[in-house]
């Protein structure tokens, strides 16, 4: 469903139920207010006025119950992995995960000698979009949101 | 439209209420219909920012927070009045009409703020902002070691000698040749030898 179907002199918009649901979901991707390390600073930056993630409907929520997407922004230690797992489980479905930065992608600088770092958050929870960078620029996170929106667009929530 | 409306003003509110209730029910019904329902143990536990919930959520709360909240509310409401005042205060048209307008409105706001500050001063003087402070008592023990002993010890410990830096090759400590260990009787390690019974022997 594209946005350029608005008729100038009124009219009727016909769409499929699936497309409508997907459009509604991808236009209001609410992430959990959850940052672990320095990538979280970039995440905050991209939510602030300069990059304004709010224009994509991305609006951080304080509770996992209201969140659609969890942005793993930072180094995932083994201690934190337990919490991340619980937070992910507490999110209502459908839920998505954006792995932001090298640390959460693969362990980053700690991939060899970091005794305390999980080598990739995808070993704990399923990841939908990976963002490369250390830390990634806000543009990269916006790109990840757009990629996730593309992914949601092709989903089928209602089983035929 | 000369005929009198059949619905009174209260009737309109009733229709509004009924429509509201029906709308909420319809939205909840569709939510029930469309939302995936996969409950598990973790999802059903209470949300404690990812921590394991422990203890009871019903905690005794200090009642003196109530006074602080009340005083905060006073100044919170003050802001509600100050913001619309600020827009009128800076109105160029009103100032152009009479130059005294600006001074008048400024004085008015200061009087208003003064009354509120008087309330704060009252609460302060009455001692409502007093917080029970902890009175820490330094533990004392009965020992015979005088305090001057520690001072002397610290003085002695604070003397450092710094080795002069030189670029020359420092004599490397000769590697100590590994001494051939004198013949020790071989230590028998404790070990567990499992014994199996063959079923054929029985």
């Amino acid at each position: 469903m594209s946005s350029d179907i608005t008729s100038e002199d009124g009219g009727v918009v016909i769409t499929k139920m699936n497309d409508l649901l997907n459009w509604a979901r991808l236009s209001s991707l609410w992430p959990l207010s959850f940052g672990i390390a320095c990538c979280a600073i970039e995440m905050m930056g991209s939510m602030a006025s300069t990059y304004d993630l709010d224009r994509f409907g991305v609006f951080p929520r304080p509770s996992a119950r209201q969140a659609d997407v969890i942005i793993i922004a930072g180094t995932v230690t083994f201690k934190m992995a337990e919490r991340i797992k619980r937070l992910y489980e507490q999110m209502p479905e459908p839920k998505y995960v954006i792995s932001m930065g090298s640390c959460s992608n693969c362990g980053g600088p700690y991939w060899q000698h970091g005794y305390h770092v999980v080598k990739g958050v995808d070993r704990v929870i399923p990841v939908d979009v990976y963002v490369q960078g250390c830390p990634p620029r806000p543009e990269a996170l916006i790109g990840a949101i757009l990629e996730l929106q593309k992914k949601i667009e092709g989903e089928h929530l209602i089983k035929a | 439209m000369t005929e009198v409306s059949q619905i009174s003003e209260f009737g309109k509110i009733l229709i509004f209420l009924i429509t509201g209730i029906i709308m909420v029910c319809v939205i909840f019904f569709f939510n029930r219909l469309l939302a995936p329902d996969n409950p598990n143990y973790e999802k059903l536990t209470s949300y404690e920012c990812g921590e394991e919930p422990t203890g009871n959520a019903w905690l005794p709360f200090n009642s003196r927070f109530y006074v602080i909240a009340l005083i905060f509310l006073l100044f919170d409401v003050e802001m509600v009045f100050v913001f619309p005042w600020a827009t009128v205060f800076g109105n160029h048209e009103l100032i152009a009409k009479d130059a005294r307008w600006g001074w008048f409105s400024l004085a008015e706001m200061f009087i208003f703020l003064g009354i509120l500050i008087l309330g704060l001063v009252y609460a302060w003087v009455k001692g409502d902002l007093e917080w029970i402070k902890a009175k820490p008592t330094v533990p004392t023990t009965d020992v015979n070691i005088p305090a001057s002993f520690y001072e002397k010890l610290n003085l002695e410990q604070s003397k450092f000698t710094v080795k002069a830096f030189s670029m020359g090759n420092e004599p490397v400590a000769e590697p100590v040749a590994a001494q051939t260990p004198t013949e020790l009787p071989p230590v028998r390690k404790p070990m567990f030898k499992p014994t199996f019974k063959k079923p054929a022997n029985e």
Side-chain angles (χ1 to χ4, degrees), chain A residues 94-115:
Chain A
K95 49 195 173 186
Y96 303 95
V97 178
I98 293 175
S99 169
M100 183 182 178
S102 297
C103 285
S104 60
N105 287 348
C106 62
Y110 312 99
W111 70 275
Q112 196 177 10
H113 300 299
Y115 62 94

Side-chain angles (χ1 to χ4, degrees), chain A residues 62 65 83 86 89-90 93, chain B residues 38 40 43 45 50 52:
Chain A
R65 311 288 190 204
R83 273 83 176 166
R86 185 173 291 126
E89 290 294 338
Q90 285 183 345
E93 283 165 58
Chain B
N38 302 320
N40 59 26
K43 199 180 275 182
T45 51
E52 190 84 49

Side-chain angles (χ1 to χ4, degrees), chain B residues 159-176:
Chain B
K159 282 173 194 154
F160 298 104
T161 48
V162 182
K163 193 177 158 194
F165 178 73
S166 67
M167 288 294 281
N169 285 335
E170 292 288 315
V172 181
E174 288 292 318
V176 180

Side-chain angles (χ1 to χ4, degrees), chain A residues 17 21 32 62-65 83 86-87 89-95 158, chain B residues 30 34-36 38 40 42-53:
Chain A
M17 188 67 183
L21 285 174
L32 183 63
S63 169
R65 311 288 190 204
R83 273 83 176 166
R86 185 173 291 126
L87 284 175
E89 290 294 338
Q90 285 183 345
M91 279 162 60
E93 283 165 58
K95 49 195 173 186
I158 306 169
Chain B
F30 274 108
L34 293 169
N38 302 320
N40 59 26
E42 288 285 5
K43 199 180 275 182
L44 297 176
T45 51
S46 46
Y47 172 67
E48 288 282 354
C49 302
E51 294 292 326
E52 190 84 49

